[in-house]
Amino acid sequence: MAHDFEAVAAVDSASGYEPGDASLVERCQGPTLDVGAGPGRLTVALAERGIPALGIDVTPDAVRQTRSAGALALMRDVFGHVPGAGRWRTVLVADGAIGIGGDPAALLRRIGELLGPQGRALVEVQPPPEPVGTDGS
């Protein structure tokens, strides 16, 4: 079972989105799971485009905000029971959610379990921070 994992740099912007949002939303196909959805900005954007989407987050307030904005969300740990496991067409990991659980490799393995046979993961990545100079700057 091969899955397509795509690293997406957050470099573009569009009105109403944070940099990278439009690119991520446009790449989502079919039922989409937004892992670590936070207040649901991307889950809402997907729903507004008519893409079936579910946001999951472990924070009750984030789930309430997503629901209040008109999108579907559940309070779930990605490593626990997730509805539709093994059937998602797209799994979206954005806004630093790659750090969920403190082990990006374990998270990517779990995402592979959540995806359907032809599914793909969209994982937003950021460039590493500039190193602090050793000359005292």
Side-chain angles (χ1 to χ4, degrees):
M1 178 184 308
H3 294 295
D4 181 11
F5 285 84
E6 181 177 346
V8 180
V11 295
D12 64 330
S13 63
S15 179
Y17 294 115
E18 290 187 12
D21 287 359
S23 176
L24 286 170
V25 169
E26 288 168 5
R27 291 178 174 150
C28 293
Q29 300 173 353
T32 299
L33 179 66
D34 184 1
V35 174
R41 183 183 79 256
L42 296 171
T43 311
V44 170
L46 290 163
E48 287 173 348
R49 287 182 175 227
I51 298 170
L54 173 65
I56 61 170
D57 203 287
V58 296
T59 309
D61 191 49
V63 171
R64 275 192 296 276
Q65 288 179 44
T66 302
R67 290 176 179 169
S68 293
L72 297 174
L74 295 174
M75 192 170 76
R76 295 291 160 91
D77 179 341
V78 68
F79 294 103
H81 172 73
V82 175
R87 297 190 309 264
W88 291 100
R89 179 73 175 109
T90 304
V91 175
L92 181 58
V93 182
D95 297 332
I98 191 63
I100 290 174
D103 184 351
L107 179 60
L108 291 172
R109 283 190 297 275
R110 176 60 176 147
I111 289 168
E113 296 168 1
L114 296 171
L115 288 166
Q118 299 301 313
R120 70 185 206 165
L122 296 176
V123 182
E124 181 184 52
V125 295
Q126 298 289 334
E130 291 292 321
V132 176
T134 57
D135 61 353
S137 59

